[in-house]
Amino acid sequence: MKKITLLIFLTLLTTTAFSAVWQRRVINYNRNDYQAGVQNWMITQSDNQWLYIANNNGLLEFDGVYWNVYPVKDKIVRSVNISGDKIYVGGSSEFGYFRHDAKGILHYTSLSEREDDWAGEVWHIHENNGYIYFLDDYYIQIFKDDRPVKRITHFGKMDYSSRYGNHIYISTEQGIYVLNENHELEYIDSSSFLSGSKIIAFLPYLGHLLVVTATGGIFTWNRDSFSKLETNAEEFIRTSQLFCAALSGSRLALGSVQNGVCLLDLEQPEVYETFNLTKGLKNNTVLYTYFDHQGSLWLGLDKGLAYIDLNVPLLPLFSNESLIGTGYCSAMYQNELYLGTNQGVFKAEKDGQFNLVPHSNGQNWSMLLYDESLFCAGDNGITVITPPKETYKIPLRGIWEVQPYSSDPDTLVGGCYSGLMILKKEK
């Protein structure tokens, strides 16, 4: 069967939740596109809006059209951070920075070669007050003006870190530590209840910090106490094993190991979207989530990269996903969305699904909002929707459309397959 796509303006969907039947534009990039390694571990963007990606084969640079890859001593690059004119990178027993020359070509300077008796995987890089922090599983390397300042050894494995204000927050199996201005680690006592939980993100939101765990949910921390943040992604979190998260305004993206990414809005609970192998992605394991300067979402995947356009004011509705048929007409009626297809009239429910309207089976050609009713003209007659009253059928077959008769408000003119018909309102 030929696939037919129905495009509907997003502005018509202000009261409709997103679900499997709606599909944003997703662009997948594989290793043949960008000519580098399969895995992509971290993504950031420069002021000129070029993307820089930590890749198995080095640092990826993408200007929106062309890709460049810059190897780092044949090492896997796990992390990237831009500060001033330097692009800092870290990876397998290596860290340093790139800088552009006069022709725009990147050149690498190693900083890790100045460190004796060190090896590790550098997962995060932070800049704070002129200091650069390289964090691997057990060490924090602190540099300033390309010179090593201090090395901090942590007694436990560090899972995640993030800068918030003038402090760097670090998650471990024991809870959360903060690295203060004196480069000393302080344990946050109130985080002890998170002992044994894997924290995968710290995200600043409305003056407090969101603490995202792999399977235990999301918590808010206001410097004194933690509280559980209930969202409509609880089932996704429980079953998908989160690996990364990103926040843009109130939009929260949760990347998982097993089921792609979940996108929700902390201010609009009805907004909930998932993207995975069955909904646009080419891989279900998301290693990194990143909102670019335009607010669209990039995903570093275990196999490739993906771009999800969150700004186009159109969403396609695929018949092979929704099974509602080929679309011909639509209308907003009493703040509800109705779609007319070759199979009937469908109403969009709050959970994003579409239910067939009674008495509307068959091809529907057009819709008219008139006299506080929705007239749906089609092959099997005219379906009249008048909630809260029962929907009924006018049994006139083969109607293209109906239009008001200007001189009589109780009269409609119906255009049918073989001519015109007059419809009169009675009682």
Side-chain angles (χ1 to χ4, degrees), residues 365 377-378 382 396-403 412-423:
W365 298 116
I382 303 170
L396 300 173
R397 293 186 175 275
I399 306 295
W400 292 112
E401 64 178 308
V402 291
Q403 291 293 334
L412 294 175
V413 178
C416 62
Y417 292 175
S418 57
L420 299 175
M421 292 186 176
I422 301 297
L423 286 75

Side-chain angles (χ1 to χ4, degrees), residues 28 61 75-76 116 120 131 143 206 249 281 283 297 319 325 328 349 358 393 395 405 416 420:
N28 288 278
E61 180 184 63
K75 302 292 183 67
I76 294 174
D116 297 326
Y131 293 94
F143 276 69
L206 298 180
L281 298 185
N283 184 255
L297 184 62
S319 61
Y328 284 90
E349 304 298 341
K393 193 89 167 188
Y405 185 53
C416 62
L420 299 175

Side-chain angles (χ1 to χ4, degrees), residues 343-358:
Q343 296 182 19
V345 176
F346 293 82
K347 177 186 173 185
E349 304 298 341
K350 297 301 182 184
D351 61 0
Q353 301 303 313
F354 290 84
N355 290 330
L356 182 68
V357 173

Side-chain angles (χ1 to χ4, degrees), residues 52 59 61 68-73 85-89 94-111 146:
Y52 292 91
L59 177 68
E61 180 184 63
N68 291 306
V69 58
Y70 294 91
V72 181
K73 296 185 174 182
D85 65 345
K86 295 178 180 178
I87 304 171
Y88 290 94
V89 296
E94 177 64 37
F95 60 84
Y97 63 86
F98 284 93
R99 183 183 274 167
H100 287 97
D101 64 16
K103 296 182 179 180
I105 305 300
L106 288 175
H107 297 276
Y108 180 68
T109 299
S110 176
L111 296 176
D146 296 354

Side-chain angles (χ1 to χ4, degrees), residues 32 34 113 149 194 251 304 319 333:
N32 293 325
Y34 52 77
E113 65 185 15
V149 174
L194 291 170
R251 272 180 171 169
S319 61
Y333 172 55

Side-chain angles (χ1 to χ4, degrees), residues 157-421:
K157 184 178 182 297
M158 296 181 287
D159 293 323
Y160 184 82
S161 65
S162 179
R163 195 189 87 173
Y164 178 46
N166 287 321
H167 296 84
I168 295 175
Y169 291 84
I170 300 168
S171 69
T172 72
E173 293 181 351
Q174 294 79 37
I176 301 173
Y177 288 81
V178 59
L179 185 66
N180 61 27
E181 293 93 335
N182 298 322
H183 297 153
E184 298 171 337
L185 285 170
E186 298 176 356
Y187 182 66
I188 299 175
D189 293 331
S190 57
S191 70
S192 59
F193 80 100
L194 291 170
S195 176
S197 298
K198 183 177 181 180
I199 297 171
I200 56 95
F202 299 119
L203 303 170
Y205 180 64
L206 298 180
H208 54 253
L209 204 62
L210 297 184
V211 179
V212 185
T213 66
T215 57
I218 304 172
F219 301 85
T220 60
W221 180 55
N222 61 7
R223 299 188 184 276
D224 294 320
S225 61
F226 289 84
S227 59
K228 181 73 180 295
L229 178 67
E230 298 295 339
T231 71
N232 52 359
E234 297 303 314
E235 181 66 15
F236 182 89
I237 295 172
R238 187 183 65 82
T239 60
S240 302
Q241 189 182 344
L242 300 189
F243 192 85
C244 54
L247 187 68
S248 176
S250 60
R251 272 180 171 169
L252 177 62
L254 302 173
S256 75
V257 174
Q258 298 167 309
N259 195 27
V261 66
C262 166
L263 181 66
L264 58 149
D265 195 312
L266 298 178
E267 295 180 359
Q268 302 182 61
E270 71 276 8
V271 177
Y272 178 86
E273 302 172 76
T274 57
F275 303 88
N276 51 33
L277 276 172
T278 62
K279 300 171 187 175
L281 298 185
K282 297 299 183 183
N283 184 255
N284 264 353
T285 299
V286 181
L287 302 178
Y288 199 75
T289 52
Y290 180 77
F291 288 99
D292 65 20
H293 293 175
Q294 288 73 41
S296 286
L297 184 62
W298 286 85
L299 305 178
L301 303 176
D302 196 51
K303 292 183 179 179
L305 287 158
Y307 168 77
I308 302 174
D309 193 339
L310 301 180
N311 297 307
V312 172
L314 295 170
L315 289 180
L317 175 61
F318 293 105
S319 61
N320 64 335
E321 289 275 356
S322 65
L323 303 178
I324 68 172
T326 304
Y328 284 90
C329 54
S330 65
M332 288 296 292
Y333 172 55
Q334 294 187 356
N335 209 30
E336 303 282 359
L337 175 64
Y338 291 86
L339 302 177
T341 79
N342 68 320
Q343 296 182 19
V345 176
F346 293 82
K347 177 186 173 185
E349 304 298 341
K350 297 301 182 184
D351 61 0
Q353 301 303 313
F354 290 84
N355 290 330
L356 182 68
V357 173
H359 312 298
S360 71
N361 302 70
Q363 176 73 62
N364 281 264
W365 298 116
S366 65
M367 294 179 176
L368 171 69
L369 286 168
Y370 185 74
D371 195 22
E372 300 183 356
S373 298
L374 180 62
F375 293 82
C376 307
D379 188 65
N380 292 332
I382 303 170
T383 303
V384 184
I385 303 172
T386 58
K389 298 179 181 178
E390 184 178 355
T391 298
Y392 66 94
K393 193 89 167 188
I394 299 176
L396 300 173
R397 293 186 175 275
I399 306 295
W400 292 112
E401 64 178 308
V402 291
Q403 291 293 334
Y405 185 53
S406 59
S407 61
D408 184 353
D410 291 332
T411 298
L412 294 175
V413 178
C416 62
Y417 292 175
S418 57
L420 299 175
M421 292 186 176

